[in-house]
Amino acid sequence: MSISDTSEARSSLIADLASQLAFQKRWRVLSMSAYVITTVGTLLCSAGATYFAASGASSIAAVLAAVATVLVGTEKSLLFREKWKFHLLMYTKLNVFRTKVLLGRIAQEQAFDEYGTLLMMYASELPMAAREQT
């Protein structure tokens, strides 16, 4: 491989890393937002249901309890908290890898192998809710 090929491959790797970092950041923020919204919504609806039930507005309390139940079920089935943590972990690993590449602390062949390993980790370890077998 010539020097220009090596430089081009390194530039391509850095550009792809920037794209992956942006992707992980976007999903980290999205999953964090979904987790916060469902958690805060559950707390507010539960507290509201308790308050309205105690004050005699049972129909409002029932609606708020139902909304809280849906929010809890949504968060538990879509695993927003686990996905947030996973995307934060992937972002951090990719950022550390990017730093090693930019500082020249890793050989090019090793860099390609490590990058492939990181991408395979993303594909194989993304949190998914387990399906019940009946």
Side-chain angles (χ1 to χ4, degrees):
M1 207 183 258
S2 71
I3 293 176
S4 65
D5 289 343
T6 302
S7 177
E8 186 176 313
R10 185 175 183 271
S11 295
S12 179
L13 176 63
I14 290 170
D16 196 55
L17 263 170
S19 170
Q20 285 296 322
L21 284 165
F23 174 82
Q24 293 300 326
K25 183 178 181 180
R26 182 173 46 251
W27 279 101
R28 186 186 79 222
V29 169
L30 189 72
S31 57
M32 175 197 60
S33 299
Y35 175 64
V36 169
I37 288 168
T38 55
T39 301
V40 171
T42 298
L43 293 171
L44 292 174
C45 287
S46 296
T50 303
Y51 172 79
F52 284 110
S55 63
S58 59
S59 60
I60 295 173
V63 168
L64 289 173
V67 170
T69 302
V70 168
L71 290 173
V72 167
T74 300
E75 197 286 318
K76 292 298 177 196
S77 65
L78 296 178
L79 304 172
F80 294 135
R81 181 181 61 168
E82 289 78 6
K83 286 180 182 168
W84 172 25
K85 180 181 173 188
F86 179 73
H87 286 290
L88 176 60
L89 174 70
M90 283 301 300
Y91 182 84
T92 302
K93 285 184 177 209
L94 286 167
N95 212 14
V96 167
F97 174 69
R98 181 178 151 270
T99 301
K100 287 195 293 189
V101 169
L102 290 175
L103 294 176
R105 301 295 234 178
I106 188 169
Q108 183 169 324
E109 288 302 317
Q110 185 183 358
F112 294 141
D113 290 343
E114 188 173 331
Y115 187 54
T117 300
L118 286 170
L119 293 180
M120 287 302 294
M121 183 186 127
Y122 177 77
S124 65
E125 295 182 22
L126 183 66
M128 302 299 273
R131 300 282 178 176
E132 289 184 31
Q133 301 293 324
T134 55

